[in-house]
Amino acid sequence: MGKCNRKVPGLNQSSTADISFILLIFFLVTTSMDTDMGLARRLPEWDPNAEDQEVKIKERNIMTVYVNSNDEILCRGELIDVSELKDIAKEFIANPEDKANLPAKEEYEIKGFGTVVTTVKHVISLQTDRSTGYETYFKVQNELSKAYNELRDDWCKQQFGKLFKDLDEDRQTYAKGMYPSKISEAEPREYGT
């Protein structure tokens, strides 16, 4: 009896590249990618004449928020927790009881809507230390943004019966005119020196 020299048939690999390519496309399409989260801020339009002008703001119209290197928040001369900041900012921005130590309410014309009474000249000044933690900085920014968002939502419910996000672009512009976002950020510095 003779031995048969038969070769074992190999696997057909001609379509392996095609299958790999299809799997690659499948995973690219179905996988969600984490995107960087940031702060949505729009800078005011540049005015070449503004460089020579000195802006004077009354002290009652400024709320300064300091965040030190230990991630402690100082607002209105007191150490506060980040969870308190939203409510303090809402009271400052809206001044519902028309307090003398908060921004003055005055008549303001919202183009296309009419005249409203609001604290349009308020400014929230955020100042940080160079060693302030990244997470704390964003928590503070988020709380300040929440204050504006909640005030706009409340005003939109009263005026239009809907939340800010559910309104058309024109009505959202009215709400932004009622409570314009005015957060000023100073350059970080070393407070201990």
Side-chain angles (χ1 to χ4, degrees), residues 106-126:
E106 56 187 69
E107 287 188 357
Y108 176 70
E109 178 74 28
I110 299 176
K111 188 175 181 180
F113 182 76
T115 303
V116 294
V117 177
T118 186
T119 60
V120 74
K121 292 184 179 176
H122 77 273
V123 175
I124 298 175
S125 175
L126 176 59

Side-chain angles (χ1 to χ4, degrees), residues 54-65:
E54 185 175 320
V55 179
K56 294 183 181 181
I57 301 173
K58 292 181 181 177
E59 190 174 322
R60 73 182 274 184
N61 290 337
I62 301 173
M63 180 176 88
T64 305
V65 179

